[in-house]
Amino acid sequence: MNDLVINHNGILATTQDKVSVLTDNNEHSIQRLIRTYKSDLECFGAIEFKNVLILNSKNTKNYKKIYYLNEQQATLLLAYMKNTQKVREAKKLIVEAFYKMKAELTRLKAIEQTNRIANLEAIAISKDKHHAKQISGYKAQLAKHNEQIKLLKAKLTIAENKAKNLSNNDEFLKR
C-alpha cells in the first residue's frame, strides 16, 4: 500500500479503510472501534471524516464515512485491536509508512528551503548588478560633467585673460 499515509489537510493521516485492509478486519468493525474509543482517540486530535458517495451492489447511492486518523490515533487504534499476526504486521507497516512520509516531507521541505535561498540569492545578485549599472551610469555622468566643468573653467580663464589684456591695452592707450 504505497498510499497508506497521506497528507490530509496538512496532517499526515491514514484512513479506516486502509487499516481494515491491513488488519484483515471488516471496515464496519474498524468504524465501530473508532466510535467506541472516540474519546481516547481524540486525546491526540480531532477525528476528521468525510462522507463519500458510493454505489452499492443494487446501484443505489449511499454515503460511506471515511475517518482520517493521525499517527498517534492510528497507533492507538491498532493497540486496541487483538494482537493477531495481521495486526502486528499492520502496526509495523503503519509505523514504517508514517516514518517514511515524515522523512519525505523533511526532504521536500529542505529542497524547498534550498530553492527559496537560491532564489533570494539570485534576486540579491540581480539587484547588485542593477545597482552596479546605475552607479556606472552616475559615474559616467559625473565624468561628463567634470569634463564640461574643465572646459568652462578653461573658457573662463581665457575670457579673464582677454579681459585683462583689454584692460591693459586700455591703460596703455591712455598713457
Side-chain angles (χ1 to χ4, degrees):
M1 285 192 131
N2 292 343
D3 59 347
L4 180 59
V5 175
I6 58 171
N7 185 343
H8 175 72
N9 295 335
I11 297 170
L12 296 181
T14 192
T15 58
Q16 96 277 344
D17 56 335
K18 294 173 185 173
V19 171
S20 73
V21 169
L22 278 176
T23 60
D24 204 21
N25 280 299
N26 181 311
E27 198 168 334
H28 294 290
S29 299
I30 301 297
Q31 286 185 345
R32 190 176 329 108
L33 198 59
I34 290 170
R35 287 191 301 274
T36 300
Y37 297 108
K38 183 178 180 189
S39 62
D40 290 356
L41 296 171
E42 285 181 333
C43 288
F44 299 103
I47 297 175
E48 295 190 26
F49 67 89
K50 74 175 178 181
N51 289 315
V52 178
L53 184 64
I54 61 168
L55 291 176
N56 64 15
S57 58
K58 297 176 185 172
N59 278 340
T60 306
K61 292 180 181 178
N62 282 331
Y63 285 94
K64 174 182 169 183
K65 189 175 269 190
I66 303 288
Y67 287 101
Y68 292 92
L69 304 168
N70 66 30
E71 182 177 9
Q72 294 86 357
Q73 292 166 336
T75 304
L76 184 60
L77 182 68
L78 287 167
Y80 285 167
M81 294 177 162
K82 290 182 182 175
N83 215 14
T84 65
Q85 180 64 33
K86 275 285 199 182
V87 171
R88 287 194 310 274
E89 288 174 18
K91 289 177 184 179
K92 290 191 292 189
L93 287 172
I94 291 265
V95 168
E96 181 183 23
F98 273 104
Y99 176 80
K100 282 183 178 178
M101 184 60 88
K102 283 182 196 175
E104 179 64 12
L105 287 178
T106 301
R107 186 185 72 78
L108 291 174
K109 284 180 183 177
I111 290 170
E112 181 182 329
Q113 196 69 0
T114 301
N115 288 342
R116 190 176 297 146
I117 290 169
N119 287 340
L120 289 173
E121 287 175 347
I123 289 169
I125 290 169
S126 175
K127 284 183 177 180
D128 286 348
K129 287 180 181 178
H130 173 73
H131 292 142
K133 286 180 184 178
Q134 281 186 321
I135 290 170
S136 293
Y138 293 145
K139 285 181 177 178
Q141 286 178 344
L142 284 173
K144 187 175 181 182
H145 290 150
N146 285 339
E147 287 300 317
Q148 289 174 342
I149 289 170
K150 284 181 186 176
L151 183 63
L152 289 172
K153 280 183 179 178
K155 286 181 180 180
L156 180 63
T157 303
I158 290 170
E160 284 174 345
N161 288 339
K162 282 184 182 179
K164 275 184 187 176
N165 285 341
L166 286 177
S167 155
N168 286 341
N169 285 344
D170 282 345
E171 281 180 27
F172 183 71
L173 291 175
K174 283 182 187 176
R175 281 191 220 170

